[in-house]
Amino acid sequence: MSGESTGPDDVVRFFGITPRLHFEFDWHAVERSIGLRLPPAYKYLAEHTPRGSFQGVLHLIRPGDLDHDETAYLGHYAYRIQDIRAAGTCPYPLHPDVGGLLPWGEGYFGELFFWRTDESDPESWDIVFCDEEFDDWQICAGPLPAFLAALGRGDIRFDGPPAAVGSAPFFREFGNDPFRPDV
């Protein structure tokens, strides 16, 4: 699967997900809550994939996660941004600062995945991720579908459960608890 022409439909097929409408969000209200347009590919994936993890290590943040308002994008993750600011280890500006990092995903150990927002087309935003202690920061070229495809191919590595390392692309649907897929 080539990163250059990877779209959200390609990612869904690559990970063996049957696309169907799982969620519907008021994107106008969600985007107003953060003052930014979100990438169309993210909006498609957020609505057309079930709650679950890519490669068993990364799940999408969705509006309304963790029982927050579905029209407020950040919800719980606004507190995580405050934690990162307090740690003082982030080499990038954070949302709502201009060009600030905006979280879109969370890893198995609580790592966060961000877009590095700027004035360019949201589909071209770079991907930044860090460890759960906010000490180790990495940046990869976007867009989101290409990043997920690279994760599935094993081109991007970070800490996670051993089953994810070197395995074929897979998507693990969550049960009732997003942090314990077996529940």
Side-chain angles (χ1 to χ4, degrees):
M1 177 174 196
S2 165
E4 291 109 34
S5 63
T6 304
D9 287 329
D10 300 317
V11 168
V12 167
R13 283 190 302 274
F14 184 61
F15 281 95
I17 302 167
T18 302
R20 67 177 176 82
L21 192 61
H22 290 270
F23 305 95
E24 288 186 85
F25 298 105
D26 179 350
W27 291 113
H28 182 71
V30 168
E31 291 172 332
R32 190 174 44 242
S33 79
I34 56 172
L36 294 167
R37 282 185 319 114
L38 292 168
Y42 162 78
K43 293 189 282 190
Y44 177 88
L45 291 169
E47 289 189 334
H48 290 86
T49 60
R51 292 195 187 281
S53 64
F54 295 90
Q55 288 310 99
V57 297
L58 169 63
H59 70 269
L60 293 179
I61 291 171
R62 290 180 168 89
D65 273 357
L66 303 172
D67 297 322
H68 284 267
D69 182 350
E70 283 194 5
T71 60
Y73 178 78
L74 285 173
H76 163 77
Y77 297 95
Y79 300 110
R80 299 289 308 273
I81 289 176
Q82 290 174 355
D83 293 343
I84 295 168
R85 276 190 210 285
T89 58
C90 182
Y92 304 98
L94 295 162
H95 181 77
D97 296 343
V98 174
L101 299 183
L102 181 68
W104 60 263
E106 186 171 17
Y108 186 80
F109 294 114
E111 315 91 327
L112 288 177
F113 294 77
F114 304 87
W115 289 292
R116 187 171 68 167
T117 64
D118 57 29
E119 295 182 16
S120 66
D121 175 10
E123 287 291 4
S124 66
W125 290 343
D126 289 333
I127 305 293
V128 175
F129 55 100
C130 65
D131 64 359
E132 68 275 13
E133 300 296 324
F134 316 127
D135 291 326
D136 183 24
W137 294 84
Q138 298 180 49
I139 188 165
C140 296
L144 177 58
F147 178 84
L148 292 173
L151 176 69
R153 288 190 309 266
D155 297 343
I156 296 172
R157 297 200 182 242
F158 53 90
D159 289 338
V165 178
S167 65
F170 71 91
F171 182 85
R172 179 176 297 137
E173 200 167 334
F174 291 149
N176 296 325
D177 183 341
F179 299 101
R180 292 186 53 218
D182 55 332
V183 176

